[in-house]
């Protein structure tokens, strides 16, 4: 595998690429959607909701937690997870800004039709 030249890009570009990579798996999207929908911490309920094995769910939760999108806390023998609202708002703004940067008038009429 080649060496990634992340130093050629801005911090913002690298951050967006990392989050896009984390969000690049449908199971992680499903986990996040479930957490957003219930708007509460959840402990060991993902297997029934997502339909994947516990070790697979755990790996996806680990990726989401490392990216900072979710928080986890130990309660008894369970680890409970919830959306990290601060990180959620940060990435929401980051991608919102990115997707609104395109000015429709920048493309010449008839371009790429």
């Amino acid at each position: 595998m080649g060496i990634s030249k992340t130093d050629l890009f801005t911090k913002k570009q690298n951050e967006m690429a990392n989050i896009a990579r984390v969000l690049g798996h449908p199971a992680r999207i499903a986990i996040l959607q479930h957490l957003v929908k219930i708007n509460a911490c959840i402990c060991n309920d993902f297997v029934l909701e997502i339909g994947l094995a516990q070790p697979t769910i755990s790996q996806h939760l680990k990726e989401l937690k490392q990216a900072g999108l979710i928080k986890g806390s130990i309660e008894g023998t369970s680890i409970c997870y919830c959306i990290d609202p601060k990180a959620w708002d940060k990435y929401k703004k980051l991608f919102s800004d990115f997707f609104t940067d395109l000015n429709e008038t920048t493309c010449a009429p008839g371009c790429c039709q």
Side-chain angles (χ1 to χ4, degrees):
M1 178 186 263
I3 296 173
S4 177
K5 297 187 178 188
T6 56
D7 59 327
L8 296 175
F9 306 100
T10 67
K11 180 181 176 187
K12 188 175 179 179
Q13 290 167 331
N14 280 296
E15 203 169 18
M16 288 180 70
N18 183 55
I19 290 301
R21 179 195 60 78
V22 171
L23 296 175
H25 196 288
R28 294 182 197 139
I29 297 294
I31 289 168
L32 290 171
Q33 286 176 323
H34 183 63
L35 285 170
V36 168
K37 182 176 90 178
I38 63 166
N39 194 26
C41 288
I42 188 168
C43 306
N44 298 331
D45 194 33
F46 292 105
V47 173
L48 294 174
E49 183 65 32
I50 307 300
L52 297 173
Q54 183 59 53
T56 304
I57 295 287
S58 294
Q59 185 60 39
H60 289 303
L61 289 167
K62 179 182 173 186
E63 288 284 330
L64 291 167
K65 189 172 180 191
Q66 284 178 338
L69 288 167
I70 63 172
K71 300 187 285 187
S73 62
I74 298 172
E75 294 190 13
T77 58
S78 310
I79 300 178
C80 298
Y81 292 96
C82 62
I83 297 289
D84 182 330
K86 187 175 178 182
W88 190 264
D89 288 343
K90 174 185 173 183
Y91 293 123
K92 181 178 172 183
K93 179 174 178 3
L94 192 67
F95 279 94
S96 177
D97 291 349
F98 175 72
F99 283 111
T100 58
D101 282 345
L102 177 66
N103 180 344
E104 303 261 344
T105 61
T106 44
C107 292
C111 176
C112 303
Q113 289 186 19

